[in-house]
Amino acid sequence: MSEDFSAAAAAFPAPFRLMVREASTSTNDDLRQLAEEGAKDGLVLLALRQTAGRGRRGAVWFSPPGESLAFSILLRPAEPKALWPRLALCAGLAVAEAIESFGPAAGIKWPNDVWIDGRKVAGILVEAGSGHVVVGIGLNVGARQFPAEIADVATSLRIETGIDFPAGEVLCAVIRRMAVRRKHLDASFGITIDAVRSRCVLSGHEVSFLTAAGPRSGIVEGIAPGGELLVREGPDVRKFMQADEIRILA
Ligand code: BTN
């Protein structure tokens, strides 16, 4: 994986700009600190080596150096805070669209895991602070194989296409799509939802998942206009804002 990101940074749309660190425990943590120190909207922090990457639900996220992009984007949305959770869907869509610009069709496992052909190629961790949102993205670019225990569920752009895409180009593609998608948080969020629905890998499937109130299961009917997952449980269709450990049963 190429580690020269200067050309990519030069092609970022305003206001996005790149800061590269040789090493970071977690780019989400480091960028949150920069945000608290006053960093402005659009700062992108990329780590060449991320030593304690975090996933959703407190999971560990591995980003093997040279094989996987680990970066975080600082946003200071002008929209009301109640709309910020929508950025999770915007980010998943931006990553899916960036991947598609390199060839493969991408699916979205609500809210924002990005899949190619049934396996996860990217994960996203969105964390809001006071006045800012950090969107952390881990994207498998150049990995040629994964450890046996995750080989069935993980993939990379290299595995799917046989091509070693320069990591900087992949990064730039994500930032360009994010620059577009972040603009549709409010009245035009329907544009985003339509694009997420067309890539939703859960629709029509029976799933099990965890909520704060306990385990649930049902058939996914789709995604509501506000971005919530719509699940049929017997005669009722319920909306879920949060659902973890979603498993496809059938
Ligand atoms: C998930 O699928 O569980 C989310 C994974 C998010 C990983 C990225 S890598 C860059 C950023 N820094 C972190 O510590 N996590 C995110």
Side-chain angles (χ1 to χ4, degrees):
M1 194 169 91
S2 158
E3 291 191 355
D4 179 6
F5 291 93
S6 48
F12 277 13
F16 294 94
R17 60 218 180 273
L18 182 64
M19 177 188 284
V20 178
R21 286 196 175 161
E22 182 62 38
S24 162
T25 47
S26 157
T27 56
N28 267 34
D29 292 346
D30 285 359
L31 192 57
R32 184 190 61 232
Q33 191 176 338
L34 290 167
E36 287 166 357
E37 291 165 4
K40 294 201 167 52
D41 179 83
L43 181 61
V44 178
L45 177 64
L46 175 116
L48 300 181
R49 230 165 12 96
Q50 183 171 249
T51 53
R54 295 185 291 106
R56 296 173 64 221
R57 306 173 299 278
V60 174
W61 180 265
F62 294 104
S63 324
E67 295 186 353
S68 175
L69 278 170
F71 63 100
S72 300
I73 306 167
L74 175 62
L75 299 175
R76 294 189 180 277
E79 293 82 357
K81 207 165 182 175
L83 300 182
W84 294 5
R86 295 181 173 189
L87 283 166
L89 276 85
C90 295
L93 178 60
V95 171
E97 291 175 323
I99 284 170
E100 286 165 1
S101 71
F102 294 93
I108 296 175
K109 184 186 176 207
W110 184 94
N112 55 20
D113 278 357
V114 183
W115 284 14
I116 303 176
D117 213 8
R119 291 186 292 171
K120 181 163 165 171
V121 67
I124 297 170
L125 178 64
V126 179
E127 297 178 308
S130 143
H132 73 265
V133 177
V134 171
V135 178
I137 299 175
L139 202 169
N140 301 324
V141 178
R144 285 164 188 252
Q145 58 181 30
F146 287 91
E149 58 277 17
I150 57 167
D152 284 350
V153 293
T155 193
S156 71
L157 266 179
R158 173 68 176 75
I159 290 170
E160 295 299 328
T161 63
I163 299 169
D164 273 315
F165 292 107
E169 284 181 22
V170 178
L171 171 67
C172 190
V174 173
I175 298 301
R176 284 178 170 276
R177 292 315 301 163
M178 195 64 201
V180 172
R181 290 300 173 192
R182 71 169 301 187
K183 292 189 179 145
H184 300 290
L185 269 198
D186 202 344
S188 54
F189 189 56
I191 297 172
T192 302
I193 289 299
D194 285 346
V196 172
R197 282 183 183 132
S198 69
R199 295 171 175 83
C200 179
V201 300
L202 297 177
S203 289
H205 286 281
E206 184 183 354
V207 298
S208 67
F209 54 96
L210 298 178
T211 69
R216 310 288 288 243
S217 61
I219 311 275
V220 175
E221 296 239 319
I223 299 171
E228 305 89 347
L229 192 66
L230 290 170
V231 181
R232 174 169 292 282
E233 296 179 317
D236 304 319
V237 176
R238 297 186 198 280
K239 277 187 193 173
F240 291 90
M241 270 303 286
Q242 168 264 333
D244 289 325
E245 306 273 0
I246 304 178
R247 284 179 211 285
I248 298 180
L249 304 174

